[in-house]
Amino acid sequence: MTNPYSQIVQRYIAQGKLASAHLDLTYRCDLDCVHCYLDDRTKPGPDTETWLRVIDELAEIDCFSVTLSGGEVFIRKDIWQILGRLQEHRFYVRVKTHGRRIRPEIAKKLKEYGVHAVDLSIYSLSPEPHNKIVRRRGAHEDSMKAIEYLLEHDISVKVNNVVMPQNFGEHRALHAVLSQKGVTSVYEGTIRGFQGGGTEVYDVGLCLPDLIQLESDRIQDAGRKPRTGLPVLSESRQCGAGVFSLYVDPDGDVTPCVAWPMAIGNIMNQSMGEIWGTSSQLEEVRDIRQSDREGCNGCSYRSNCSYCPGMAYIETGSPTAPANTLCRTAQARATALKQTALDARQRPFFFPIAKNKTNAENARDLEELLRDSDEDIAISKNDVETKRKTA
């Protein structure tokens, strides 16, 4: 069955229209998540009148959906005024929040204000890992209760979970419980670089063996099958960033996507219609194709690569260059897919990451993992041979 939203997006693309806008209303937040991509959480963001004007401008160019996030959106005292203006224009509205401020009366009010969906970030089924990641006591209980309050008012709920060492091993249990409740659950190991540039935050991510295990878990939960063959890098677009969607940060900078902090305009001195219709930087973004990716054509992992030009831009300064974090995830996914295709007899002797890698940045941790695996395989083979001789 075709996703109705995908059908709408395709119509918007065909007509050159903006389908989706993501507005980060503020940098401020009352949590302190270890992996947060906002490197300055002190600025309040544009005032009420500015955001109301932006919403009116989005309506003028027939934008379909608006996502509100932060920081924490419910820190803003004008959140209901902003939601009210969105309701007047009959946007499809999604709100991203940590959920701690959602009580039964707030959930009821969100429904009354026409909010269709709410995204929450929850990192574990048990409280301790989650609270350690957000660095606030009691946060887990509040966010879990928010799910129930929202579901009671028929608001669609999605839970996003970034898996790190603190919550590794809890992701599948949380996923199972949420799925039983009818909540969309997504977990992944990708850590985003800072919005202002810089990748120091990568240090909180998973080691490669755990990332491989995580990708294996994702494959099993999604029921995916291993891909075969290497796709040709085509003339299709990299993604929808700047093609049918835009992001506005709390400084007013407009970028192709929340993950791609390259300013193409600013709401303080330009209208959304002007930026969407006349930005030369945006035209350059739209012209980028899969075939423009540098150094990817000979990579044996590209069939399993979820390439993101925004993450490449943060890490390398170019939206078409290989990025370490993307390459690493592709390698982990390829490994996990291959392992799931093997039977129990074959699995202990398999380690597929090739030594003739083209991405030199990954060489050290890959070679270390290869050495460990080779030693394990040699031990396993010796054990089998010893048992065969003594049988």
Side-chain angles (χ1 to χ4, degrees):
M1 180 181 293
T2 304
N3 186 320
Y5 182 75
S6 297
Q7 292 179 317
I8 292 170
V9 167
Q10 289 305 316
R11 288 203 297 268
Y12 270 73
I13 292 174
Q15 297 171 25
K17 289 183 176 181
L18 176 65
S20 174
H22 182 167
L23 312 179
D24 260 358
L25 301 180
T26 179
Y27 283 114
R28 293 184 297 178
C29 185
D30 48 358
L31 298 184
D32 187 24
C33 299
V34 298
H35 61 294
C36 183
Y37 63 85
L38 294 176
D39 37 357
D40 183 351
R41 283 169 267 176
T42 61
K43 299 177 183 178
D47 62 20
T48 306
E49 291 307 314
T50 300
W51 284 124
L52 296 181
R53 172 179 58 79
V54 167
I55 291 168
D56 291 341
E57 291 169 355
L58 290 171
E60 288 173 6
I61 58 176
D62 200 24
C63 180
F64 172 70
S65 72
V66 173
T67 297
L68 301 181
S69 66
E72 173 51 46
V73 293
F74 289 103
I75 282 180
R76 288 194 66 116
K77 295 179 180 179
D78 59 0
I79 183 60
W80 300 110
Q81 193 173 351
I82 290 170
L83 285 171
R85 185 62 62 89
L86 289 168
Q87 186 179 32
E88 288 177 21
H89 290 298
R90 303 182 67 181
F91 285 103
Y92 178 94
V93 178
R94 178 179 292 274
V95 174
K96 294 190 174 187
T97 170
H98 56 55
R100 294 196 69 193
R101 294 169 179 253
I102 294 180
R103 299 290 184 264
E105 63 275 14
I106 297 298
K108 182 174 183 284
K109 199 170 181 180
L110 287 170
K111 184 68 174 180
E112 292 171 350
Y113 273 72
V115 173
H116 299 82
V118 172
D119 283 18
L120 302 171
S121 295
I122 300 177
Y123 303 109
S124 60
L125 190 57
S126 57
E128 187 176 359
H130 176 93
N131 292 341
K132 282 184 177 180
I133 288 171
V134 304
R135 295 190 274 210
R136 289 291 185 276
R137 292 179 181 178
H140 181 268
E141 182 181 4
D142 291 339
S143 296
M144 292 297 286
K145 284 181 178 178
I147 295 175
E148 305 301 329
Y149 301 148
L150 292 164
L151 292 178
E152 285 173 7
H153 291 281
D154 296 320
I155 296 174
S156 176
V157 179
K158 177 183 177 183
V159 170
N160 300 300
N161 177 13
V162 178
V163 182
M164 294 164 277
Q166 297 95 321
N167 60 333
F168 182 76
E170 289 245 349
H171 48 281
R172 296 195 77 185
L174 176 64
H175 178 77
V177 168
L178 294 174
S179 297
Q180 289 175 356
K181 293 177 180 289
V183 173
T184 301
S185 168
V186 177
Y187 63 85
E188 62 177 0
T190 303
I191 304 292
R192 280 191 48 197
F194 288 127
Q195 193 74 4
T199 58
E200 296 86 353
V201 70
Y202 286 178
D203 292 343
V204 305
L206 295 174
C207 63
L208 190 55
D210 286 350
L211 188 58
I212 293 171
Q213 181 59 55
L214 181 73
E215 288 299 325
S216 179
D217 293 341
R218 279 162 49 89
I219 292 161
Q220 292 179 57
D221 285 335
R224 289 174 57 190
K225 296 181 179 179
R227 300 178 186 177
T228 57
L230 295 176
V232 176
L233 294 180
S234 67
E235 291 304 306
S236 62
R237 289 190 172 100
Q238 290 278 16
C239 64
V243 178
F244 64 83
S245 64
L246 288 178
Y247 165 74
V248 185
D249 75 14
D251 287 323
D253 281 333
V254 180
T255 76
C257 167
V258 64
W260 191 346
M262 180 182 72
I264 57 174
N266 191 287
I267 60 172
M268 299 304 182
N269 50 42
Q270 295 169 282
S271 72
M272 292 299 292
E274 181 184 358
I275 295 169
W276 180 254
T278 65
S279 169
S280 58
Q281 297 102 315
L282 193 53
E283 284 302 314
E284 292 175 5
V285 167
R286 292 168 181 159
D287 285 340
I288 296 175
R289 296 294 185 266
Q290 291 276 358
S291 56
D292 294 327
R293 282 161 53 181
E294 306 160 17
C296 295
N297 200 48
C299 179
S300 58
Y301 304 112
R302 69 178 184 272
S303 61
N304 298 290
C305 181
S306 299
Y307 190 83
C308 173
M311 293 182 69
Y313 177 83
I314 290 175
E315 187 173 320
T316 70
S318 168
T320 59
N324 184 54
T325 187
L326 299 171
C327 298
R328 201 163 170 269
T329 300
Q331 293 155 3
R333 188 173 299 136
T335 303
L337 280 166
K338 181 63 176 177
Q339 287 175 336
T340 58
L342 299 175
D343 59 35
R345 181 181 59 82
Q346 294 171 311
R347 205 166 293 149
F349 305 105
F350 172 72
F351 196 83
I353 294 183
K355 293 183 179 180
N356 58 340
K357 281 182 48 57
T358 57
N359 298 305
E361 294 173 64
N362 298 306
R364 281 186 297 179
D365 58 348
L366 286 172
E367 288 300 327
E368 181 179 347
L369 196 54
L370 280 168
R371 284 196 300 273
D372 293 343
S373 179
D374 288 342
E375 290 173 4
D376 292 342
I377 290 172
I379 292 170
S380 299
K381 286 182 176 178
N382 288 336
D383 288 344
V384 170
E385 185 64 20
T386 301
K387 291 177 180 178
R388 185 183 66 79
K389 288 180 178 179
T390 56

